[in-house]
Amino acid sequence: MSTLAVHDHGVAHHDDHGHEHHHNQSFLSKYVFSMDHKMIAKQFLITGITMAVIAMILSILFRIQLAYPDKTFPLLTTLLGRFAPNGRISADFYLSLVTIHGTIMVFFVLTAGLSGTFANLLIPLQIGARDMASPFMNMLSYWFFFMASVVMLSSFLVQKGPASGGWTIYPPLSALPKAMPGSGEGMTLWLISMVMFVASSLMGGINYVSTVLNMRTKGMDLWKMPLTIWALFLTAILGILAFPVLVAGVVLLIFDRSFGTSFYLSDIVLNGVQQPYEGGSPILFQHLFWFLGHPEVYIVIMPAMGISSEVMSVNSRKPIFGYHAMVYSLIGITVLSFIVWGHHMFVTGMNPFLGGVFMITTLIIAVPSAVKTFNWLATLWRGNIRFTPAMLFAIGMVSFFISGGLTGIFLGNAALDINLHDTYFVVAHFHLVMGSAAIFGMLAGVYHWFPKMFGKMMDEKLGYLHFWLTFIGAYLVFFPMHFMGLDGVPRRYYAFTEFVSMQRWLTVNTFITWAAIMAACAQVAFLYNFISSIFIGKKATQNPWESNTLEWTTPVEHLHGNWPGEIPTVYRWPYDYSKPGAEEDYIPQTVPFSQTMSSNQAHDFEDNPKGLEELNKFNSTLKANEQVK
Amino acid sequence: MGFRKFINSKTLLSFITAFMLLGTNLLMAQTEAAATTGGQTDAPQVDWTGVAYYLLLFFLVCLGVAVIGKILKIYDLTLKIQGKKGMKWNTVMAVVCLVFLIAGLYGAYWSFTVQGSMTLPEAASVHGVKIDEMFTVTTVLTMIVFFITQILLFGFLFQYRHSDKRRAHFLPHNNTIEKIWTIAPAIVLTVLVVFGFFTWQTIMNTTDTKGDINIDITGHQFAWELRYPGKDGVLGPKDFRMVSAANKLGVNFKKRSSFDDLQVDTMYLPVNKSIRLNIQALDVIHSVYMPHFRVQLNAVPGLPTFFKFTPTITTAQMRTQLDDPKFEYLVYCNKICGGGHYNMQKVVRVVTEAEYQAWLSRQKPYLNDALRKELHFAAADQPKTESQNRLALNN
Amino acid sequence: MMAQIQKDNDRLDLAPKKFNMWIFIFTSFMFFAALTSGFIVYSGGKGHGLNVIMPDAFKYSTAVIIISSITLLLASKAAKQLQFAKQRMFLWLTFVLGVAFFAIQVYAWYVLTYKMNVYLTDPNASRSFVYIFTGMHLLHIIAAILLLLNTLAGTYKNIPQVRNLFKMEMTSIFWHFLGIIWIYLYVFLLLNQN
Ligand code: HEM
Ligand SMILES: [Cu+2]
Ligand SMILES: [Cu+2]
């Protein structure tokens, strides 16, 4: 019965019957082809974590090459066979590793793993819906993602190895199978996998948008939605607008590769042999790619921003500072992110005036980002901060976002980008602002909503260990890279042995590799914690973080449809923490103002004149009573 | 119970040290052995003891962590049994945040001074100086923001750590301050944008500045080819259809201006002369990157581009400046182009005008003997066209 | 018990599903917008105009797809008035017109390739775009025809009228959208044909 305590509108007759109709689902329909959004969220999460571990191992492999370019590791030959002859990763395979690492991290982990998990879990739970608009499409979305993952990984089994033109797959390199080994079947598999991936993302995104717009519970107007929902909603919109453009670019690439068209190809002599392509424009692909690519980086970071906002508010026991500003800045980012793609192309020989325009739009987008940062700081100010592992990861996200966002100001400046483009400075920038920040947002979400997903608590101490090792490790890995970039060290280099001027960075590279290995080992603490907590973790209570949002009003035991009985009605915004005059330091969204007369403020009734009147009446009687005393 | 665990951990600790000593010895021996035999054996043997050593080491660390965890738990329990409050993890974390802030600030400072001093020397070109000025201004501004925000972030964490006695300050918004911190970054960014926009325009919009010297640089897998104009100062046109074994760039010898073109190995540049680099690629995208001159532009097949710049510091001057007698300016490739991407370099020498002229007079024409022969063969197969006549005349 | 009923009610709430279709249409529109923008960037940047007078077949296919939209409208109207035989008849007619559209487009390819020497692998990729536009549109048409058949199958299976109307509506949205997209592409090509 405790599960009902939060509902104030007394639906007296429920629950006793709740379990009667528990039709026995088969294993297949419960765990595999489930249409329940909570199960699909878990599927996305576990697949995402698996892909993350794989991508992390790939990164350690190529970091070993960078740290010890002249040493041989016979073990590598044993593990990788023809890709690492004589104990050293081959140059081509090095590029494959980098490419697949980037692709998996950006798309499979930080897009599907992050949005897929938390949009599926939180959208119905936090807006008060029983499931997604179309549960069937939702299931398809997961299975397309799963197949895309399998195809992507299967490219390691191909004779010539996986795609190796970088995650941006610029043609002609990716379009000419003879240009490098990875541009053969490996690239074909990459393209197939990405098409499936986009299908998955679109099906997911369509569902998220439609659910948020159509299926909110009573009282949940847009301005009462938690920031997580806002972020996930806008992320889905970005995906819907951007991914089709990538498909268009990829379709043209497929035609160039397989049917002999020349959209992207022109005047090519490969190994002394003229190719029959004329008139194409490689820059066209870059335009199409980055029209997706830049929104994509915000697709990655916005859910992390939303999660961090929510987690920081809950754990500072303070309302998020400037809720409206937070939403407007998210909207601003969403809109602006479509007109800045050219900043990835300053030095392609694009019209310099166009470059200037893109530079202006790019630096404008830094403003909403700055606003968000300051608002997070203001949220912490005079809070009552609880350091749960989730809170630590949310803070780590803010720290990384600051560090990485500031270097964006250098790169967004076309004049400075001349010398910084494609150097390690860019690597440092996006690993901090996107890689680390988004991963930390995701981990914050996992630690925070683990009780909701699995009904168990994760171990806090292991969480602390995991956080500090990863946080310090990430800074140790990426901070020095800025200076390598400022020394003009290019990215995607197999070894820094051939240039005399780069050899002095070898010690730094060795250091970075060991920091990376340490951070990677720290993930074992997380994996152990995650898996063991599912089975032997402490049982979770219904609202372990004393949080306001709707998902904590559902029972710990999952049921299809989320709430037994009626879906609760929402009366207030989700951030009434530490309200003066309230009994507890939190007031769930389901508590009507009539029950919290002592803590109501004029601010609560901005668009509700009737409520305001009542408040004034209440206050005046209060005053009158005092005077009588 | 707690005591027994403690003993356990102590024995474990000594075990670990012993193991590490042993393992390091083993490993050292292994590397030496590898070094001596490395050259001879083609199929290197996997050093399983080394692998096992690392794996065991890792397990030991995990074990250590587990033991420490258990000890902490028991300590916590005993505290609670004694009626005390138990470990205050929240405070511990707040302190760690503070420690991280201090260590992190020091680390950033260290990184700036030590690694910061390993970055590129001063710009060796006219526009590069402007870029460096921009860079300095941007760095100062962003670093101020960086240090302030990080200090506030971790400072707040420590200052406002949880206490049961206190409630957080309910502060949902404050429009004034929000306006301030929207407008302030907007102004700073506007300044940077305006500054940057004009710098960018002057660097790239150089149609009016004439390039004194035209140089052709062409990327292919995996090298750069250079072509200088001859006495006429004009580079002959190219056509990818004319590429052959001897005519690697596909220079069009139907045009007169091609005949005196020079093929060179090293990019010699006279100091203080405006250079126009014509940038092309034969197969895939490459990128001409000359970091010392702050020059970069992609080499795109089918899309010729150019970059104009003026070198200001000769190689000799830079050598004394850096106290490095072997210093060379270089062209790198900076766009992923295949397996050899990491080694596509070309030496650039900035020299005085006199040295440049002397060097230039020693260079061989692009139209070398092999190419002549090839073109003659071609001529024999075809009815003589006017251009081929001219070619013959020129011989 | 309550929960079950409530849930079933929620399940039957078809409005969000219809909304899904609208969003899908939006993504599809973005896809074609991207392709046409690609065309503009390409032909503008490279100075390669199309220089092809569009074959007459496109005129006929345009007429066919417009008529098919009308027949589908009539089918919807019949469905609303519970005249199921009529609905079925018009659905079949729409199906036939859809297939005819498909055939005419393929015929147009034939004309382009064999009569007008405009090839898919033309060195002037503006011309390749003609094939890409129509080909990608035809892929959508295949999907639409499958959807249509599904609705048609429904009319034989005695499903509840709510579902019948729902299916009709989903099919109509998609079908009319494809008609509009085709007109957009055709007009785009006409405007750029020289
Ligand atoms: C303050 C706002 C930001 C600005 C002004 C900015 C600017 C830039 C610029 C100009 C580049 C291109 C650098 C180059 O290739 O030369 C770049 C690269 C990149 N940025 Fe940002 N950025 C910002 C924020 C972000 C955010 C929030 C993310 C991700 C969440 C992100 C992710 C990336 C990535 C992944 C790349 C590298 C793409 C590649 O592989 O080439 N950036 N950024
Ligand atoms: Cu971007
Ligand atoms: Cu290259």
Side-chain angles (χ1 to χ4, degrees), chain C residues 62-82:
Chain C
T62 312
V64 167
I65 205 165
I66 291 174
I67 298 171
S68 77
S69 265
I70 296 172
T71 54
L72 192 61
L73 269 179
L74 292 174
S76 288
K77 211 168 132 203
K80 274 184 208 130
Q81 292 163 348
L82 304 176

Side-chain angles (χ1 to χ4, degrees), chain B residues 340-352:
Chain B
H341 171 53
Y342 69 100
N343 188 13
M344 252 179 90
Q345 44 185 318
K346 201 92 200 163
V347 174
V348 179
R349 290 235 172 84
V350 180
V351 292
T352 60

Side-chain angles (χ1 to χ4, degrees), chain C residues 120-141:
Chain C
L120 172 63
T121 56
D122 210 290
N124 173 0
S126 303
R127 298 178 168 185
S128 316
F129 267 113
V130 179
Y131 289 90
I132 302 290
F133 290 164
T134 46
M136 289 298 130
H137 183 252
L138 282 188
L139 276 186
H140 283 74
I141 289 281

Side-chain angles (χ1 to χ4, degrees), chain B residues 323-339:
Chain B
D323 196 19
D324 175 4
K326 292 214 201 75
F327 173 84
E328 295 281 11
Y329 293 119
L330 289 173
V331 178
Y332 312 173
C333 176
N334 199 19
K335 182 61 77 187
I336 182 171
C337 61

Side-chain angles (χ1 to χ4, degrees), chain A residues 225-445:
Chain A
M225 296 197 307
L227 283 172
T228 32
I229 301 299
W230 269 111
L232 291 165
F233 171 60
L234 292 166
T235 302
I237 291 182
L238 270 181
I240 285 171
L241 292 173
F243 273 118
V245 180
L246 177 68
V247 178
V250 163
V251 164
L252 299 185
L253 182 57
I254 290 174
F255 271 87
D256 272 5
R257 281 172 60 80
S258 310
F259 300 97
T261 53
S262 359
F263 292 107
Y264 303 135
L265 306 175
S266 175
D267 299 18
I268 291 171
V269 185
L270 194 62
N271 302 321
V273 183
Q274 280 98 338
Q275 306 288 316
Y277 302 105
E278 276 177 72
S281 157
I283 305 298
L284 174 61
F285 178 83
Q286 299 183 16
H287 280 298
L288 291 172
F289 182 87
W290 285 114
F291 188 86
L292 157 92
H294 189 83
E296 169 65 24
V297 306
Y298 284 97
I299 288 174
V300 163
I301 199 67
M302 289 207 316
M305 289 171 160
I307 289 170
S308 299
S309 305
E310 172 71 19
V311 169
M312 283 172 66
S313 171
V314 172
N315 288 302
S316 337
R317 313 308 293 158
K318 251 193 92 187
I320 192 82
F321 183 82
Y323 172 76
H324 282 80
M326 288 304 242
V327 173
Y328 285 126
S329 57
L330 281 177
I331 295 175
I333 287 173
T334 306
V335 174
L336 287 171
S337 70
F338 281 105
I339 51 169
V340 299
W341 78 89
H343 64 218
H344 297 271
M345 300 166 61
F346 285 138
V347 298
T348 51
M350 186 172 70
N351 183 335
F353 179 72
L354 216 57
V357 173
F358 279 122
M359 150 177 188
I360 295 172
T361 55
T362 299
L363 293 189
I364 294 175
I365 206 173
V367 176
S369 309
V371 170
K372 292 196 82 76
T373 309
F374 295 138
N375 282 2
W376 283 320
L377 290 179
T379 304
L380 294 174
W381 181 68
R382 294 184 66 183
N384 201 6
I385 297 167
R386 284 188 322 208
F387 293 101
T388 62
M391 179 64 172
L392 285 171
F393 276 100
I395 290 159
M397 184 266 164
V398 175
S399 174
F400 284 139
F401 189 72
I402 296 173
S403 307
L406 286 172
T407 49
I409 293 173
F410 293 74
L411 297 172
N413 187 326
L416 294 180
D417 192 50
I418 293 175
N419 222 44
L420 294 176
H421 177 70
D422 263 344
T423 63
Y424 264 81
F425 194 84
V426 177
V427 179
H429 159 71
F430 71 78
H431 275 97
L432 284 177
V433 75
M434 164 161 110
S436 306
I439 283 273
F440 270 48
M442 180 168 168
L443 287 169

Side-chain angles (χ1 to χ4, degrees), chain A residues 98-137:
Chain A
V98 176
T99 303
I100 303 297
H101 161 79
T103 311
I104 292 184
M105 282 297 189
V106 172
F107 291 109
F108 291 76
V109 179
L110 293 177
T111 305
L114 179 56
S115 276
T117 305
F118 291 103
N120 270 310
L121 179 71
L122 295 180
I123 288 181
L125 285 174
Q126 287 196 333
I127 66 171
R130 300 226 180 260
D131 208 315
M132 286 287 175
S134 167
F136 177 70
M137 239 167 96

Side-chain angles (χ1 to χ4, degrees), chain A residues 13 17 21 130 133-134 206-207 209-210 213-215 240-241 244-245 247-248 251-252 255 259-263 278-280 284 560-561 565, chain C residues 1-4 6-7 10-11 16-17 19-20 23-24 26-27 30-31 34-35 38 41-42 46 48 120-123 125 128-129 132 136:
Chain A
H13 44 271
H17 310 288
H21 278 257
R130 300 226 180 260
S134 167
I206 288 173
N207 244 326
V209 171
S210 170
L213 288 181
N214 292 298
M215 299 173 69
I240 285 171
L241 292 173
V245 180
V247 178
V251 164
L252 299 185
F255 271 87
F259 300 97
T261 53
S262 359
F263 292 107
E278 276 177 72
L284 174 61
H560 211 135
Chain C
M1 182 76 183
M2 265 292 291
Q4 203 58 42
Q6 186 98 30
K7 221 163 65 193
D10 293 347
R11 273 282 150 81
K17 295 205 172 65
F19 199 82
N20 276 5
I23 307 174
F24 171 72
F26 207 69
T27 62
M30 278 307 291
F31 176 71
L35 285 180
V41 172
Y42 176 85
K46 279 278 171 177
H48 282 309
L120 172 63
T121 56
D122 210 290
S128 316
F129 267 113
I132 302 290
M136 289 298 130

Side-chain angles (χ1 to χ4, degrees), chain A residues 146-156 189-190 192-193 196:
Chain A
F146 183 80
M147 284 192 299
S149 313
V150 171
V151 173
M152 186 59 75
L153 293 179
S154 73
S155 63
F156 278 97
L189 288 174
W190 193 97
I192 295 173
S193 168
M196 284 196 266

